[in-house]
Amino acid sequence: MADGGKDVATPSVDPDFVAEEVPGTGGPGTLVIKERAVSRVAVAAALTVPAVVRQVGGMSKLTGRELPRADVSVGEHSVSVNLYVALAWPCRIADAGAAIAEKVGRALNDIIGLPLHQLNVLVVGTSPAGSPEPSAPSDAAAFRPRPPTASPAAVPVALVLSLVLLGVAFVAGREFLIAHDTIDGSPWIANAVNWIAELHWQPWMIGAAAACVVVGAILVVLGLKPRTKTHTGAGSKASQYPMVWLRPTDVARICSDHAGSVPGVDSARTTVTPKRVTVDVHRAAGSTNGSTAAVESVRAAVEPTIALLADTRTVRVRVKESKA
């Protein structure tokens, strides 16, 4: 998860998919959700209320105290939130507070999976209706979050070029010191220029020219290649844009955790690919549930989580018998 995750080791697997296994000897394990992730979900949910406005200008931009913001406390079975908001003026504060409570409570239950124990809404700012903050975009699409991406493909080339430029700077500095009789030595640049000036046509130059064309084309492709998405968005059914971003590892951990909590399941392993989520479960020895019933139970436990993902994935459940 971009802001939180499960404190277990991630297995080393092929980068095309990520799997998370819940060992049969250790139970289904635990799912740890960091407070920062809960805070971002609460803020995103509050912004879906029309009366709530975003304030990021002035001193709040310097101090990082933009609105809305949330202080959260995550318990074992519930979460409490202190939510600081700015409202459009004029508006009915009581109605806005009720709408905020409904949106935040639903988002925390759908995304985080924890009910809202207590929500304190603190109105600490106002903004005239129809007058957005100067620093805040007026287009609602401008608030659409950007998905996390991998490093640009041109990063290795940029590192090589930086080393080459450092080498050029070193050579230039050496030539400067030699020209001013500060150090002794043979000038490299002058000798290199003389060597190039004395060159005549050679057959190897055809291969060198072709290699330069190939290298140039590769550099152009690397420079234009878009970044690879490393996360998938997740949001409540009522949200227009994703509220949190999950790695394939996080999706696998959550699915394994839900599948492992199904009665009669001894262990669970989830494989996540861009098109499919495959859950392999081992039934506990002596389980009274048949394979078909186990498949339906695991599917029912996993599908609500998959339904919240922005990318559509099919669910496949495979049941195996645990060795006695």
Side-chain angles (χ1 to χ4, degrees):
M1 193 176 293
D3 294 300
K6 187 176 179 184
D7 295 338
V8 297
T10 302
S12 177
V13 295
D14 185 87
D16 290 337
F17 67 91
V18 182
E20 177 67 18
E21 184 173 4
V22 182
T25 57
T30 58
L31 181 65
V32 178
I33 303 174
K34 293 185 179 180
E35 293 181 350
R36 186 167 54 179
V38 180
S39 174
R40 292 192 176 184
V41 171
V43 168
L47 285 173
T48 62
V49 177
V52 177
V53 295
R54 182 191 295 269
Q55 288 189 349
V56 295
M59 290 300 296
S60 62
K61 201 169 188 178
L62 299 177
T63 61
R65 309 295 284 180
E66 65 180 51
L67 299 175
R69 69 177 188 272
D71 296 331
V72 304
S73 177
V74 180
E76 184 176 358
H77 301 292
S78 62
V79 58
S80 298
V81 180
N82 289 332
L83 187 63
Y84 303 84
V85 300
L87 298 181
W89 182 87
C91 72
R92 290 183 57 85
I93 296 180
D95 294 343
I100 293 172
E102 192 272 334
K103 294 286 188 179
V104 173
R106 180 186 301 174
L108 292 177
N109 188 67
D110 291 346
I111 302 298
I112 305 298
L114 291 175
L116 184 62
H117 173 68
Q118 185 177 19
L119 172 64
N120 298 317
V121 179
L122 293 86
V123 181
V124 296
T126 58
S127 179
S131 301
E133 291 293 319
S135 60
S138 58
D139 187 2
F143 293 116
R144 182 171 184 174
R146 295 182 179 179
T149 55
S151 299
V155 166
V157 177
L159 292 177
V160 172
L161 290 178
S162 65
L163 295 177
V164 171
L165 292 176
L166 289 175
V168 171
F170 170 78
V171 173
R174 179 181 180 276
E175 296 292 316
F176 176 82
L177 295 177
I178 292 176
H180 289 76
D181 297 326
T182 304
I183 62 175
D184 296 328
S186 175
W188 292 345
I189 296 179
N191 292 339
V193 170
N194 292 333
W195 176 77
I196 294 174
E198 295 176 356
L199 285 178
H200 298 284
W201 172 255
Q202 298 291 336
W204 60 265
M205 293 182 178
I206 298 178
C212 291
V213 172
V214 172
V215 172
I218 293 175
L219 294 180
V220 170
V221 171
L222 292 178
L224 298 178
K225 183 179 179 180
R227 295 188 181 187
T228 303
K229 293 182 179 180
T230 58
H231 294 62
T232 182
S236 64
K237 296 179 181 179
S239 63
Q240 183 179 5
Y241 302 123
M243 294 183 177
V244 293
W245 299 100
L246 304 173
R247 300 169 299 173
T249 303
D250 302 319
V251 178
R253 289 174 177 173
I254 296 173
C255 292
S256 295
D257 187 76
H258 290 334
S261 64
V262 174
V265 173
D266 187 38
S267 63
R269 175 185 174 87
T270 302
T271 303
V272 178
T273 65
K275 298 296 183 182
R276 176 179 294 178
V277 175
T278 302
V279 184
D280 294 310
V281 298
H282 287 80
R283 289 199 305 164
S287 175
T288 58
N289 292 333
S291 297
T292 303
V295 168
E296 295 302 324
S297 298
V298 172
R299 185 183 298 276
V302 171
E303 282 186 340
T305 298
I306 305 302
L308 298 177
L309 301 179
D311 301 328
T312 303
R313 289 177 170 87
T314 60
V315 179
R316 180 174 63 176
V317 180
R318 298 184 295 195
V319 178
K320 300 180 180 179
E321 298 291 339
S322 297
K323 296 181 180 180

